[in-house]
Amino acid sequence: MSVYKSKQGNGKLRVQTKAYDLASHTHHICSNERVFLKRNRWCSTAKIVGVVDEIAINIDIANSMRIENPKRKDYQNLAIVKSIELEALMEIAYRDNNRDKKSLDDDKFNHWIGLVLELRGLLIAWRDSPQR
């Protein structure tokens, strides 16, 4: 379920929307030959795309559960853990693919990492909110 930016709040729909935005951005970057070298793309970007998709899926699963369901918090926590995994995989891929300094420039990479950190902050706030 997508929500227009003007209609977004600070709650769970904002977390979902940010997760979808991050997944879309990640898919775009990881499929770009000018960003990730073709010889390395299959081993590094496939894992990144898989994890970013898992984050969005875990958010959707948590969001589909009633607040009282104890598994809801488990899925929220799993999404947070996966965001940490994603950040590590991104850093490894960046270091491996950017040795020649022609691939992903620092500003674009920092923006990408910033999207992950922003999503993680929203996830933590959502999990810790009284109406989680």
Side-chain angles (χ1 to χ4, degrees):
M1 166 192 290
S2 294
V3 178
Y4 294 107
K5 281 196 182 240
S6 63
K7 303 283 184 193
Q8 291 176 10
N10 288 330
K12 58 192 172 211
L13 291 180
R14 183 157 184 229
V15 173
Q16 278 183 315
T17 303
K18 288 292 183 183
Y20 295 153
D21 290 347
L22 173 62
S24 177
H25 186 72
T26 300
H27 285 227
H28 178 72
I29 286 176
C30 289
S31 64
N32 188 339
E33 288 182 15
R34 293 177 303 200
V35 175
F36 286 104
L37 304 173
K38 194 170 189 173
R39 68 177 181 266
N40 295 334
R41 197 172 329 130
W42 67 272
C43 62
S44 56
T45 61
K47 293 174 189 174
I48 292 170
V49 168
V51 171
V52 79
D53 290 349
E54 285 182 57
I55 292 169
I57 290 166
N58 286 315
I59 290 168
D60 285 351
I61 293 170
N63 193 34
S64 71
M65 295 179 173
R66 296 184 62 83
I67 292 173
E68 304 83 25
N69 189 334
K71 288 193 173 203
R72 179 179 169 105
K73 193 168 190 173
D74 293 341
Y75 283 103
Q76 290 170 326
N77 284 329
L78 188 54
I80 293 167
V81 168
K82 289 291 179 180
S83 75
I84 296 167
E85 181 180 342
L86 175 63
E87 186 180 357
L89 289 170
M90 288 166 58
E91 183 66 36
I92 292 166
Y94 173 73
R95 289 169 184 245
D96 193 37
N97 287 279
N98 209 33
R99 290 182 186 149
D100 59 1
K101 300 292 183 198
K102 294 179 186 172
S103 299
L104 185 61
D105 67 40
D106 290 344
D107 289 339
K108 288 183 181 178
F109 181 72
N110 289 333
H111 171 72
W112 192 21
I113 287 287
L115 294 174
V116 176
L117 298 177
E118 179 184 7
L119 177 61
R120 187 179 312 142
L122 290 172
L123 279 165
I124 291 168
W126 179 40
R127 179 200 59 195
D128 295 343
S129 73
Q131 298 176 333
R132 54 183 156 90

